[in-house]
Amino acid sequence: MTAAAPAPMRSGSVPAHPPEAADLERLATFDHVVVSWVEDAGYPMSVATRFDADASARSVTLTQTNPQVPTDRELSVVGSHIHPTPGGYDERRYVELWGRATAAGGGLRFSPTRAWGWDETVTPFFEYSERSVPQSRRYLAALSEEKGRPIKPRLSLFWLALRTTRLPFLSATAVPVLLGIAIAASHGAFTWWTALLTLIGGSLAHLAINVTNDIFDTLSGADEANTTPTQFSGGSRVAIYELLTIRQLAALALALFAGAGAIGLLLVLVTQSTTLLWIGLAGVVVGVVYTAPPFKLVYRGLGEIAVALGFGPIMLLGAYVVQTGRIAAEPLLVSITIGIFVALILFVNEIPDRPGDAAAGKRTLPVRLSPSVVQAGYLVAAAVALALIAGGVATGLLPWPTLLALLALPVAFRVYQGIKVHYDSPYTLMAVMGMNVNLTLLVGGLLLVAYVATIVWLAMRP
Amino acid sequence: MGWLPDPVERLLEEGLVAEVTVIGRNGRPITHPLIPLYDGHRIYLHSSTLFSKKLEHLKRDPRIAISLSDPVAMKGNTDRATIQGTAHLIEEDPHSDWERLILELWRKKEPSIDDFLKVRVALPLFFERAVIQVRPERCLYWPQGLTDRRPVEALPPSLEAA
């Protein structure tokens, strides 16, 4: 009763289908089946029994049971498996066939006409769940109508805020802003409260852009088409899950933009810096054209450049200008390195999204480029970003402690290797995406340590 | 305790999965693997709104059969049983009704559920759930799982007396 390597199970969103040999081969892997029918009294009845599946004949021989399996009505024949583990279970899979049985010798010959099933080793539970989101919406809409009041999914305010704004990604703002402040401090300029305001304003702008991006990706269908989202990719999905409406998201984005804009204007007034005003305006433009039509840079493969500009020169140089009132080559060079690493977060996070992005016309770089070019491109970009630091030290533009950043090179290489191995597997790629986010934090952290050391050394110098 | 035979109550308490059959739109039997929970009187099943077609079927026809058949899912217990009954859906508040009604029972059977609940934010719709409360009305029990032999049949006391 065993079959060698049945074909992959159809996934959760595919309707029941005429049985194929693979469905029978898959059924043959179970120890027993449960046969169900509807009794004359109107109740379903189920009985477990032994069986033998014949894939080539598309039939199943069932051992007769007591009560007897009827031959005058439709039957359901189910093979189901679960593997208990300490505290839970795994290896869930089942196959369900529908059809009728005829008497055959001492048993029954069951001829299926429809089949259905799920195997979590083929369609991971998270993907199966995502494919089932439309069913949840349908059910809740019908329930709301039935009860005469809206019944919507909920999350606590804390988790909803975290999910909606994708708060953990704020590290991508903290790194360039803190570096800009640290470089300014190493140049003798530091005001704590404008530094704090810069960090808050930059964070609000980042969160506003996250929410805006979600609005457009929801409206374009890119997020809905993505059935393998992860904690790093596929958007917040709060609108798809109906946790919030698009209108609520738009209001939130506007509030966040307004907060960021107010802080930006305050800083311009305080510093009297027209340079800061231009940098701020550039930030607003880049943030909006990233996903908003008609520009939609991220849909045209230009998202990485927009992100590199936004989280590199605009954030880092902006933070530097707030403290010093001027632009300088040193923070500009560091901002390019940081901008590249933050852009590489987007670049890697787009890899698992590419089927959904392609379906929605979002032609990101991983959609446009071959896997080998994407993988090589990652390594080259990371190497160039670190080489800029080495070059800066060699030319005397950067203090020598910034060479510490080169310690991140092996991590960049491990991310590159991870991308190669897990390129087509969204869920196993998650660990690599996490490592890639940590790489940016590592580079930023090492550069911060370098600048703090430089500040201390300069302060202690006679 | 309820009227179900002791060996069947053991199956309900130990079983990690049951094959639950409902009646589909066109009268066709449809079977779903679900975790059975038992409080000594009622059987509780539950379903995420993600996988809620079974709930739609039960609204049309609440008659249900629960088969306990897999020794692997029954901690090695080879007995088998099928319980027929009527389902009552509890879905006023899919966000939290189930926590109040069945979380303790679920936790006993699947302790790792608490780890998933801590990260409810990761899969919020999975934890929007309806409870299916089943009133057992007939039970067939096959010692050692020998379903080709006549089962022991049990009925609730009210029907037994009738």
Side-chain angles (χ1 to χ4, degrees):
Chain A
M1 282 218 312
T2 54
M9 179 69 70
R10 284 165 183 254
S11 61
S13 67
V14 180
H17 54 276
E20 298 161 0
D23 295 308
L24 276 297
E25 286 169 3
R26 209 169 290 114
L27 187 75
T29 63
F30 295 94
D31 291 328
H32 68 279
V33 290
V34 173
V35 184
S36 303
W37 64 93
V38 179
E39 291 182 328
D40 290 340
Y43 283 82
M45 169 53 70
S46 300
V47 187
T49 191
R50 295 190 302 276
F51 75 106
D52 196 2
D54 185 340
S56 58
R58 303 275 204 284
S59 71
V60 182
T61 303
L62 300 169
T63 301
Q64 186 52 285
T65 63
N66 189 334
Q68 288 204 338
V69 174
T71 54
D72 62 347
R73 64 197 69 190
E74 184 158 25
L75 305 176
S76 146
V77 172
V78 167
S80 175
H81 171 80
I82 196 167
H83 173 244
T85 60
Y89 48 79
D90 57 13
E91 296 178 9
R92 286 167 294 179
R93 62 176 188 272
Y94 68 90
V95 175
E96 182 164 19
L97 303 170
W98 289 275
R100 285 173 178 259
T102 52
L108 295 161
R109 181 187 167 89
F110 171 71
S111 302
T113 53
R114 296 172 80 231
W116 166 247
W118 173 56
D119 182 339
E120 73 174 328
T121 61
V122 177
T123 306
F125 177 71
F126 278 89
E127 182 179 348
Y128 184 30
S129 297
E130 285 301 329
R131 289 177 182 276
S132 304
V133 169
Q135 169 63 28
S136 179
R137 286 200 298 255
R138 274 195 299 274
Y139 168 77
L140 289 173
L143 187 63
S144 300
E145 197 175 323
E146 183 187 319
K147 303 288 181 190
R149 61 185 168 85
I151 299 178
K152 298 279 185 192
R154 303 200 303 272
L155 272 180
S156 70
L157 189 60
F158 171 78
W159 288 118
L160 185 61
L162 189 91
R163 178 152 198 144
T164 304
T165 58
R166 286 179 279 162
L167 208 59
F169 282 101
L170 270 190
S171 55
T173 290
V175 164
V177 170
L178 291 176
L179 266 174
I181 294 166
I183 296 171
S186 76
H187 294 177
F190 176 71
T191 308
W192 71 267
W193 64 272
T194 55
L196 184 62
L197 277 179
T198 308
L199 192 59
I200 295 170
S203 299
L204 291 177
H206 183 178
L207 299 181
I209 290 167
N210 281 352
V211 176
T212 309
N213 186 23
D214 266 348
I215 292 171
F216 287 110
D217 279 352
T218 303
L219 292 176
S220 73
D223 280 349
E224 178 97 47
N226 184 344
T227 56
T228 54
T230 67
Q231 66 188 97
F232 301 104
S233 60
S236 77
R237 311 183 84 74
V238 292
I240 293 171
Y241 295 166
E242 296 186 327
L243 291 161
L244 289 175
T245 62
I246 292 289
R247 192 183 287 266
Q248 287 170 317
L249 284 177
L252 176 63
L254 279 175
L256 290 166
F257 270 126
I263 289 175
L265 283 174
L266 179 63
L267 288 171
V268 168
L269 286 173
V270 168
T271 59
Q272 295 288 302
S273 168
T274 50
T275 307
L276 183 61
L277 179 64
W278 287 116
I279 289 175
L281 286 174
V284 171
V285 170
V286 169
V288 171
V289 301
Y290 178 72
T291 43
F295 309 99
K296 300 200 293 187
L297 297 184
V298 70
Y299 283 68
R300 302 175 197 281
L302 299 171
E304 282 76 3
I305 291 174
V307 164
L309 277 174
F311 290 93
I314 290 173
M315 285 279 187
L316 196 151
L317 217 47
Y320 179 84
V321 171
V322 168
Q323 298 299 316
T324 63
R326 61 186 172 83
I327 284 178
E330 183 180 350
L332 179 63
L333 184 62
V334 175
S335 77
I336 295 170
T337 291
I338 293 300
I340 290 173
F341 275 109
V342 178
L344 286 178
I345 294 178
L346 173 70
F347 187 57
V348 174
N349 290 359
E350 284 171 342
I351 292 172
D353 288 352
R354 60 195 195 286
D357 285 347
K362 191 174 175 181
R363 305 270 299 152
T364 62
L365 289 181
V367 169
R368 290 167 184 265
L369 304 174
S370 70
S372 58
V373 172
V374 170
Q375 292 152 13
Y378 176 88
L379 193 59
V380 169
V384 166
L386 291 175
L388 286 175
I389 299 294
V393 172
T395 55
L397 199 59
L398 302 184
W400 66 265
T402 55
L403 287 174
L404 268 176
L406 302 188
L407 290 174
L409 190 58
V411 180
F413 193 72
R414 279 174 56 204
V415 174
Y416 160 73
Q417 287 177 313
I419 294 169
K420 281 179 73 170
V421 172
H422 302 289
Y423 198 82
D424 291 317
S425 175
Y427 298 111
T428 56
L429 190 64
M430 270 173 68
V432 180
M433 291 190 280
M435 197 193 307
N436 189 40
V437 172
N438 289 337
L439 171 64
T440 304
L441 295 178
L442 178 64
V443 172
L446 289 169
L447 287 171
L448 269 176
V449 168
Y451 275 101
V452 169
T454 303
I455 292 164
V456 171
W457 182 75
L458 289 172
M460 293 173 66
R461 202 171 50 174
Chain B
M1 295 298 273
W3 58 269
L4 291 169
D6 289 346
V8 177
E9 291 195 324
R10 266 200 300 281
L11 285 171
L12 281 168
E13 280 156 6
E14 290 168 352
L16 199 51
V17 73
E19 293 81 28
V20 176
T21 303
V22 299
I23 301 172
R25 190 179 294 276
N26 49 9
R28 172 181 287 141
I30 301 173
T31 303
H32 303 268
L34 292 176
I35 299 179
L37 305 174
Y38 183 58
D39 69 356
H41 295 280
R42 303 281 174 121
I43 301 166
Y44 296 92
L45 308 162
H46 49 108
S47 168
S48 161
T49 58
L50 288 165
F51 315 117
S52 50
K53 277 190 179 164
K54 65 180 85 61
L55 302 174
E56 294 170 355
H57 297 320
L58 284 169
K59 279 184 193 188
R60 273 193 312 275
D61 191 331
R63 287 171 288 193
I64 194 167
I66 301 167
S67 165
L68 302 153
S69 73
D70 182 6
V72 175
M74 306 289 156
K75 295 187 176 170
N77 189 339
T78 57
D79 290 348
R80 283 175 168 149
T82 294
I83 300 155
Q84 292 175 312
T86 301
H88 167 63
L89 299 184
I90 300 169
E91 50 183 2
E92 289 295 319
D93 180 4
H95 186 74
S96 55
D97 272 350
W98 66 270
E99 285 185 88
R100 180 172 50 81
L101 291 166
I102 58 158
L103 182 54
E104 274 307 310
L105 291 169
W106 191 358
R107 185 177 280 140
K108 275 184 199 160
K109 195 162 276 189
E110 191 188 346
S112 61
I113 197 61
D114 284 323
D115 297 330
F116 291 104
L117 258 179
K118 281 178 199 159
V119 287
R120 187 171 186 158
V121 64
L123 197 54
L125 296 185
F126 179 72
F127 288 108
E128 298 293 317
R129 309 186 75 82
V131 176
I132 305 166
Q133 187 185 57
V134 179
R135 187 181 68 225
E137 293 166 14
R138 183 187 179 209
C139 174
L140 301 183
Y141 162 59
W142 295 270
Q144 287 96 51
L146 301 173
T147 55
D148 54 344
R149 300 202 183 155
R150 186 183 176 84
V152 177
E153 184 172 357
L155 297 169
S158 54
L159 289 177
E160 200 77 77

